[in-house]
Amino acid sequence: MCGIVGYIGKKQAAPVLLDGLSKLEYRGYDSAGVAVLNPAGGIDIVKAKGRLKVLSDAIDGGKKLKGTCGIGHTRWATHGEPSENNAHPHCNDEKTIVAVHNGIIENYAELKAKLIRRGYGFYSQTDTEVATKLVDYYYKKYNDPLQAISQFALRVRGSYALAVMYKDFPETVFAIRKDSPMIIGVEKGESFLASDVPAILKYTKNVYYVDNLQIAKLEIGGVKFYNLDRDEVKNELVEITWDAEAAEKGGYEHFMLKEIHEQPRVITDTFNYVYKNGEIDFSEVGLSDGILKYVKGIVIVGCGSAYHAGMVMQYVTEDLARVPVRVELASEYRYRNPVTNGELVIVISQSGETADSLAALRSAKEKGLKTLAIVNVLGSSIAREADFVFYTKAGPEISVATTKAYSAQLVAGYLLAIKLASVRGTITQDYCKTLLDELCSLPEKVAALLENKHLIQKFASETMDKKDVFFVGRGTDYAACIEGSLKLKEISYIHSEAYAAGELKHGTISLIENGTLVFGVLTQPDLIEKTVSNLVETQSRGALTAAIATEGVKLPDVGFEKVFSIPHTDVHFTTSLAAIPMQLFAYYLSVLRGNDVDKPRNLAKSVTVE
Ligand code: M6R
């Protein structure tokens, strides 16, 4: 979802901006642009539809634009079609104020009408041009760049990360954010602005996370922060602990493949985050045993894969800890009026910026409920606003299709379930130890699965022409299927559905035709026979069936086309292993079909708008 960059320093700005934008490509975009304050005192703006390369070629990799202060943007269209005209940066009529924006200005139509009444004209269909002209209006009124931005913030509704340059302030970039991510980096007198850390990691690891409704003023030599009253406020400088290589492909053809291979490490790191001296220690999370012991119930919210991780967590937590757990889509929870009873609300999110998840968190807090965030991105909005935070240790995830962050979320969920069960006395200390030992051995089992990836690759090449793929399972296997199916459809563009195996015959089985591919996930010993019966029902209607099953478990001989084995683990953790062949299957099909694996069409990595 749109990417923003900014730079002020001694280097030529345009190449730094292009470099930063290239690191944000993963967020999804359809056009791009940069604006640089030139040595003659004017502002040069260049925009292009399509890939960043088109923009880069137009300015010869940035060499054609002279100047050391600039802002840049990759746009993911919300208001107005993808086009050069609608691309950012946008400017006022005199080209003395220029801005880039991420987010949505909800009352833009009303503001536009007001500006038109005051004599403004508009050249694009975007809410960002409205935002820019609103800043222009207030700048002309108050003749103060900070006040123009604070007035803007008081007037608009919606979410935004906005960066503004004024011709009158040639060595300064101003920025403000509300519910849209924005970070600022500093290094030896240079200042950097970006939507996400990877964009500036090559230049600095010293980062400020901008607070909601905080205005930043970036100059050579440093950054100052202000509140909406324009009082200077302090912000804490944070050191990023991962390096630029973590956000590079590291020899893999795609980020997704690299991230799939990082899963053993990610599982270990997430486990070690709370596993201290042989037991689970939530002191860094901030959750006391008292809260866990007496909590009346748990509500888990998230979107997409985070929601799917929550589904697994629901099964595992109820089974181990005997606490009532409900899992809900964040986009539904935020508009519901649920009956509450002192539950702990857990928000799962890789980015920590997903608009629906953030709104769900706020709605839970308004109801007086305690909130726990399971989040990957340090300093993200959800992490900052939740009462407690469990940081998953996946490191930067670049591919739009999540793999390693999902795996880390699963592990965080298992650890929470074990901790709950342990403090509530619903499992014995021996079983607790067995579970922890089992979690410890998950990374090597994932690594073993990855070594056999060629088996999945071969099956993908044999089935690449399939039009429909179904995934069926029961219990946690059903939760695993939903994630496997999402992975497949989002990057291969093949139609896919996941079904609780017993539910197929209540309607969906009518879609099964000759040659339809149906995967059965069969890792829950008590449920295998039932699911196999459902798979046989699809075979009778012409389906080609494949199974993902625990090795050593004898499956009924019903003529599966392929059986992919996963190593044995405790029944509560099998999703972590079953996910791997499904991720690889989606990946290889996407490659075989010539798709843009890391940046699937119509999708954005971080969905910061509703
Ligand atoms: O950043 P989040 O975890 O909050 O994102 C939630 C979903 O948008 C995300 O999991 C999405 O479903 C993935 N692209 C799936 O691979």
Side-chain angles (χ1 to χ4, degrees):
M1 193 124 303
C2 308
I4 284 184
V5 291
Y7 172 75
I8 166 82
K10 296 214 165 61
K11 297 186 182 77
Q12 290 300 310
V16 178
L17 298 174
L18 287 173
D19 183 51
L21 290 177
S22 74
K23 303 291 187 317
L24 296 178
E25 277 189 297
Y26 72 90
R27 297 167 70 84
Y29 70 102
D30 46 54
S31 52
V34 289
V36 173
L37 281 155
N38 64 39
I43 299 178
D44 294 323
I45 303 173
V46 184
K47 315 197 271 193
K49 185 178 166 198
R51 287 300 187 201
L52 200 54
K53 189 172 181 316
V54 185
L55 173 69
S56 180
D57 287 350
I59 54 175
D60 193 14
K63 286 192 211 114
K64 275 195 191 159
L65 287 189
K66 302 289 177 218
T68 55
C69 177
I71 51 179
H73 190 262
T74 43
R75 174 173 187 253
W76 192 81
T78 54
H79 297 68
E81 54 164 16
S83 68
E84 191 178 317
N85 194 40
N86 285 332
H88 307 198
H90 286 285
C91 61
N92 62 350
D93 290 348
E94 301 85 4
K95 227 171 143 185
T96 52
I97 294 179
V98 65
V100 291
H101 160 234
N102 182 9
I104 287 185
I105 308 291
E106 284 165 8
N107 56 338
Y108 89 104
E110 163 202 330
L111 294 169
K112 187 171 182 174
K114 175 188 158 172
L115 287 165
I116 289 171
R117 283 199 299 277
R118 302 206 185 256
Y120 280 85
F122 287 86
Y123 58 82
S124 78
Q125 293 120 40
T126 64
D127 53 347
T128 304
E129 190 191 351
V130 176
T132 311
K133 290 185 169 163
L134 190 65
V135 172
D136 175 69
Y137 170 75
Y138 287 122
Y139 182 63
K140 285 181 176 141
K141 186 163 177 186
Y142 298 108
N143 201 26
D144 178 335
L146 274 182
Q147 191 166 2
I149 291 174
S150 70
Q151 290 295 329
F152 157 88
L154 293 170
R155 198 68 184 78
V156 299
R157 286 197 307 276
S159 61
Y160 48 85
L162 182 83
V164 184
M165 290 195 309
Y166 298 82
K167 183 173 181 280
D168 295 348
F169 297 84
E171 305 240 296
T172 316
V173 175
F174 294 88
I176 185 167
R177 82 166 196 104
K178 179 172 170 277
D179 299 343
S180 243
M182 179 190 279
I183 52 113
I184 286 170
V186 286
E187 188 74 45
K188 296 189 184 109
E190 295 179 300
S191 303
F192 304 83
L193 171 87
S195 306
D196 200 357
V197 174
I200 61 169
L201 211 46
K202 185 168 151 190
Y203 307 100
T204 183
K205 285 185 179 179
N206 302 317
V207 163
Y208 293 102
Y209 290 94
V210 184
D211 269 340
N212 251 356
L213 294 175
Q214 208 171 51
I215 305 174
K217 184 179 175 191
L218 291 78
E219 294 171 300
I220 290 194
V223 185
K224 289 189 178 130
F225 295 94
Y226 302 87
N227 62 22
L228 287 188
D229 293 330
R230 288 165 291 136
D231 301 323
E232 194 172 339
V233 290
K234 289 269 166 275
N235 200 337
E236 191 193 347
L237 194 62
V238 176
E239 192 187 342
I240 300 296
T241 49
W242 35 276
D243 54 24
E245 274 162 35
E248 303 287 343
K249 280 189 203 152
Y252 287 94
E253 202 182 337
H254 299 100
F255 279 110
M256 183 176 176
L257 192 60
K258 178 190 172 227
E259 287 160 6
I260 287 174
H261 280 82
E262 283 175 327
Q263 290 178 111
R265 197 266 305 151
V266 162
I267 292 173
T268 304
D269 290 355
T270 302
F271 181 72
N272 287 338
Y273 174 57
V274 295
Y275 183 68
K276 312 264 159 71
N277 305 319
E279 52 186 47
I280 304 173
D281 175 353
F282 268 21
S283 48
E284 278 203 52
V285 177
L287 256 180
S288 68
D289 284 5
I291 293 182
L292 295 174
K293 189 163 181 176
Y294 298 110
V295 73
K296 296 201 181 109
I298 291 178
V299 176
I300 306 173
V301 293
C303 301
S305 300
Y307 168 74
H308 301 158
M311 278 180 75
V312 177
M313 205 172 151
Q314 178 189 36
Y315 284 108
V316 174
T317 308
E318 287 204 328
D319 192 47
L320 291 178
R322 310 308 300 147
V323 188
V325 183
R326 208 170 70 225
V327 57
E328 278 198 51
L329 291 165
S331 53
E332 288 297 311
Y333 181 85
R334 65 180 292 186
Y335 292 119
R336 268 185 356 100
N337 185 15
V339 177
T340 61
N341 185 26
E343 294 94 345
L344 174 69
V345 175
I346 303 180
V347 181
I348 307 181
S349 174
Q350 186 285 129
S351 62
E353 301 292 350
T354 301
D356 286 324
S357 305
L358 182 58
L361 171 85
R362 288 178 179 163
S363 133
K365 287 185 80 171
E366 275 163 23
K367 293 181 175 74
L369 300 172
K370 288 280 175 225
T371 54
L372 164 69
I374 296 180
V375 165
N376 195 42
V377 176
L378 187 79
S380 54
S381 301
I382 291 174
R384 285 141 67 102
E385 293 189 27
D387 298 304
F388 315 107
V389 187
F390 185 124
Y391 277 114
T392 49
K393 298 290 174 180
E397 189 176 67
I398 306 297
S399 176
V400 166
T402 180
T403 51
K404 63 174 181 171
Y406 168 76
S407 279
Q409 289 161 356
L410 289 178
V411 173
Y414 303 150
L415 287 161
L416 184 67
I418 298 169
K419 179 76 177 169
L420 272 161
S422 166
V423 299
R424 298 165 82 95
T426 52
I427 55 171
T428 63
Q429 286 311 309
D430 277 357
Y431 187 39
C432 179
K433 186 172 174 329
T434 306
L435 289 171
L436 291 172
D437 289 349
E438 199 49 55
L439 273 185
C440 244
S441 69
L442 265 187
E444 72 203 49
K445 292 175 181 174
V446 171
L449 275 169
L450 291 172
E451 270 170 31
N452 284 328
K453 60 178 184 266
H454 58 278
L455 300 175
I456 306 281
Q457 187 174 22
K458 183 163 178 294
F459 190 59
S461 68
E462 290 160 7
T463 51
M464 65 178 279
D465 295 324
K466 293 287 170 210
K467 290 202 170 47
D468 306 285
V469 180
F470 287 73
F471 292 82
V472 299
R474 290 165 185 255
T476 52
D477 286 343
Y478 167 49
C481 284
I482 295 211
E483 174 58 11
S485 172
L486 173 66
K487 210 88 307 173
L488 182 70
K489 61 191 140 202
E490 78 175 319
I491 58 169
S492 75
Y493 315 147
I494 294 172
H495 166 250
S496 174
E497 299 205 28
Y499 260 80
E503 187 63 17
L504 261 189
K505 57 180 156 313
H506 296 287
T508 312
I509 201 163
S510 64
L511 293 174
I512 305 292
E513 297 178 337
N514 247 348
T516 303
L517 177 59
V518 183
F519 271 95
V521 179
L522 305 166
T523 74
Q524 301 297 298
D526 297 349
L527 302 170
I528 287 176
E529 275 187 13
K530 304 261 177 224
T531 304
V532 169
S533 299
N534 301 128
L535 287 163
V536 171
E537 285 159 12
T538 69
Q539 285 175 344
S540 311
R541 278 124 188 119
L544 184 82
T545 54
I548 295 173
T550 306
E551 70 191 359
V553 172
K554 184 135 180 47
L555 295 181
D557 186 9
V558 296
F560 289 123
E561 188 70 19
K562 273 279 178 320
V563 176
F564 297 103
S565 293
I566 59 167
H568 181 272
T569 185
D570 184 272
V571 282
H572 299 95
F573 308 147
T574 55
T575 311
S576 290
L577 301 178
I580 308 298
M582 291 191 276
Q583 292 171 350
L584 288 166
F585 185 63
Y587 170 77
Y588 285 121
L589 274 180
S590 178
V591 173
L592 285 162
R593 292 166 76 105
N595 297 347
D596 194 345
V597 178
D598 289 329
K599 297 186 281 282
R601 68 185 181 204
N602 305 336
L603 290 178
K605 179 67 182 162
S606 169
V607 186
T608 52
V609 294
E610 264 193 89

